[in-house]
Amino acid sequence: MASLIDLANPTRFMRFSAKLLPWLAAVAALLVVAGLYLAWFKAPADYQQGETIRIMFIHVPAAWLAMMFYSMMAVSALGTLVWRHPLADVAQKAAAPIGASFALICLITGALWGKPMWGTYWVWDARLTSVLVLLLIYLGIIALWRVLDEPSRAARAVAILTLTGFVNVPIIKFSVDWWNTLHQPASVFRMGGPAIDGSMLWPLMILAAGFTLFALCLHMVAMRAEIMRRRVRTLTILEAERLDRLAAQGVPA
Amino acid sequence: MSRAFLAILSRDLTVAARAGGGGELALVFFLTITVLVPFALGPDLNLLSRIGPAILWLGALLSVLIGLDRLFQSDEEDGSLDLIRASALPLELAVLAKGLAHWLTTGLPLALASPLLGLLVALPGEGVLPLIATLLVGTPALSFIGAAGAALAAGLRRGGLIVPVLVAPLTVPVLIFGVSAANAALGGTVPFLTPFLILCAISLAAIVVGTIAAAAALRQAD
């Protein structure tokens, strides 16, 4: 935890992330390439679903990441409201578009998988619907960031919205257990261990790890951009104030 | 404490009654939506009576949403929100009073008007009382989830459209159980009481969560 507190200083975070990023990106690329190779060439076609099973290797990690990023945003929201951590709202703001993208990827790949398997791109099934609601909540959060001009005020407002919207995440997770609809029940993280075979589980896990690291890279880049954007904003304000003062003293700008 | 609570409540009711633009507007909007649906779907009375409860619930939901941005914004503009924040009354109770006033002037009239609008969509007689009941216990959830959204956008100059966008996804459970209870009364496999009790539970939870979230949002706003 000591390192997390050290990182609360944005300057330290910038220095630390600049060092970490290339390594993180390299490992992420390695894992994604290896995972994709295993998933495309080594994993067997499913005995029922045939080659379409390969969509799963993108679809499932995207779904996990959509929920993981929302959970991370909820933790960041606590960081903003409770601990007043100076980087929490930067993390939260940077995470929203990434989480929204993964939710969208999950929905699109799900639709492409659903067409051959279920015969339709979309059904109003509990799991599908709750992920769509997750995407809407993400979009609402991004919209609220955009309409509030003052970053610290926006951060606290968004934090409250994020925590309120968090009720949806357990609903997504358990939707397949609570409602007996078209989407298949949980088969990896469940009581009694995974229900899918090792030949598919391994590529899935490697890809999930690779996508997660990739997402964290994106997140870190976005956080760095946000910190720099805020510095520019502060400098602009300071410069404007300085010119104001000079003008008041009668010095031409 | 309770005097301050009642003072805010009665003030909001008075403002709604005299200044207008709140409850009546929601009612007119409710009527407009209900009238528009048969034009879109065609005047087939069998179809309309089958989906009647859903139409009325959707109309009520949208009617609650349109006026929400004014819930705290007008108080923010004329400065009374600062007075409420500075008073001894806990902000949560002030929000509870305002949310209650919002429900009394919006949700309650919508529920009471629903049988009349039910005629327009050929709602069967045995479905009328259950529909009123679901709207009565369901609309408080809309008011209080909405209050949280409205508090987030209080003081925004261009906040008009953002409140419904923020609030609508969170109202999905209310809509699901409200409509399924209203439909259950018209026959079906589920008994009326099951979704109805869940709807009551959602409303109670929304009153608590919405009040706390809205008060937290208002505290951050200054």
Side-chain angles (χ1 to χ4, degrees):
Chain A
M1 280 316 276
S3 64
L4 249 185
I5 292 165
D6 289 342
L7 286 179
N9 180 335
T11 314
R12 285 224 185 98
F13 172 81
M14 293 298 273
R15 220 180 311 142
F16 169 78
S17 58
K19 277 192 203 125
L20 184 66
L21 253 180
W23 295 99
L24 204 58
V27 178
L30 204 71
L31 282 175
V32 169
V33 170
L36 282 178
Y37 173 76
L38 288 176
W40 251 255
F41 300 107
K42 291 291 173 185
D46 190 69
Y47 75 104
Q48 261 183 333
Q49 310 194 17
E51 298 291 338
T52 61
I53 190 71
R54 300 191 197 285
I55 298 172
M56 173 190 78
F57 296 113
I58 307 287
H59 175 73
V60 172
W64 286 343
L65 282 170
M67 284 191 276
M68 193 190 96
F69 265 74
Y70 198 90
S71 311
M72 202 166 81
M73 282 164 54
V75 176
S76 305
L78 284 180
T80 304
L81 293 177
V82 181
W83 301 300
R84 310 265 160 158
H85 192 292
L87 279 179
D89 62 310
V90 177
Q92 210 268 5
K93 186 175 186 183
I98 303 173
S101 314
F102 279 113
L104 189 63
I105 292 174
C106 172
L107 287 169
I108 292 174
T109 53
L112 294 177
W113 195 6
K115 184 66 185 169
M117 286 305 107
W118 298 340
T120 171
Y121 286 113
W122 183 261
V123 281
W124 289 96
D125 148 286
R127 176 58 73 80
L128 278 64
T129 314
S130 51
V131 174
L132 184 60
V133 171
L134 179 70
L135 178 65
L136 291 179
I137 294 177
Y138 268 127
L139 295 179
I141 287 172
I142 296 171
L144 191 59
W145 269 117
R146 297 250 170 110
V147 293
L148 291 166
D149 302 320
E150 220 270 295
S152 65
R153 171 157 152 45
R156 290 181 303 227
V158 170
I160 291 163
L161 178 64
T162 309
L163 288 178
T164 314
F166 190 69
V167 288
N168 188 42
V169 171
I171 295 181
I172 299 178
K173 172 69 187 116
F174 295 110
S175 57
V176 284
D177 305 324
W178 291 344
W179 290 283
N180 192 9
T181 44
L182 201 50
H183 199 281
Q184 65 161 346
S187 48
V188 180
F189 295 118
R190 57 166 213 153
M191 304 285 272
I196 65 176
D197 189 66
S199 59
M200 288 179 186
L201 186 60
W202 272 111
L204 179 62
M205 283 309 187
I206 293 172
L207 266 179
F211 279 135
T212 307
L213 290 184
F214 169 61
L216 290 179
C217 281
L218 289 180
H219 188 221
M220 213 172 258
V221 172
M223 278 178 74
R224 290 171 62 83
E226 177 62 25
I227 290 174
M228 289 191 237
R229 191 177 301 128
R230 287 187 187 187
R231 284 184 180 168
V232 170
R233 182 173 182 273
T234 313
L235 289 177
T236 316
I237 291 173
L238 287 179
E239 177 65 10
E241 281 172 358
R242 193 181 67 86
L243 290 179
D244 238 24
R245 252 196 329 273
L246 287 181
Q249 289 163 6
V251 182
Chain B
M1 215 60 113
S2 64
R3 268 187 48 213
F5 180 86
L6 290 176
I8 294 181
L9 182 64
S10 70
R11 165 183 168 273
D12 269 27
L13 293 179
T14 312
V15 168
R18 300 209 180 132
E24 310 94 273
L25 193 63
L27 269 181
V28 175
F29 192 68
F30 190 24
L31 174 67
T32 314
I33 290 190
T34 316
V35 170
L36 283 181
V37 169
F39 285 107
L41 291 178
D44 176 0
L45 281 187
N46 290 326
L47 174 68
L48 285 177
S49 80
R50 195 157 51 78
I51 61 173
I55 297 171
L56 294 177
W57 250 98
L58 198 59
L61 171 75
L62 293 175
S63 312
V64 173
L65 288 186
I66 52 149
L68 268 178
D69 58 317
R70 298 302 298 164
L71 184 53
F72 295 109
Q73 208 176 35
S74 50
D75 283 357
E76 174 80 26
E77 280 164 6
D78 66 14
S80 42
L81 197 61
D82 290 327
L83 291 179
I84 292 175
R85 267 199 288 253
S87 75
L89 187 72
L91 198 50
E92 279 79 8
L93 281 181
V95 170
L96 190 66
K98 287 192 70 73
L100 191 60
H102 180 261
W103 179 72
L104 285 174
T105 53
T106 311
L108 184 63
L110 290 176
L112 296 181
S114 60
L116 216 56
L117 301 187
L119 291 178
L120 293 175
V121 292
L123 187 72
E126 68 268 27
V128 173
L129 276 180
L131 180 78
I132 300 178
T134 56
L135 282 171
L136 275 180
V137 303
T139 42
L142 303 180
S143 283
F144 280 90
I145 299 172
L152 289 172
L156 271 187
R157 288 280 163 268
R158 45 203 171 123
L161 191 60
I162 187 129
V163 178
V165 168
L166 299 181
V167 170
L170 300 176
T171 59
V172 169
V174 185
L175 196 59
I176 292 177
F177 289 104
V179 173
S180 71
N183 274 332
L186 293 175
T189 51
V190 198
F192 171 71
L193 214 52
T194 315
F196 185 74
L197 289 179
I198 297 180
L199 185 66
C200 296
I202 292 176
S203 247
L204 292 175
I207 291 174
V208 176
V209 175
T211 304
I212 293 173
L218 290 179
R219 269 199 201 98
Q220 311 295 352
D222 52 6

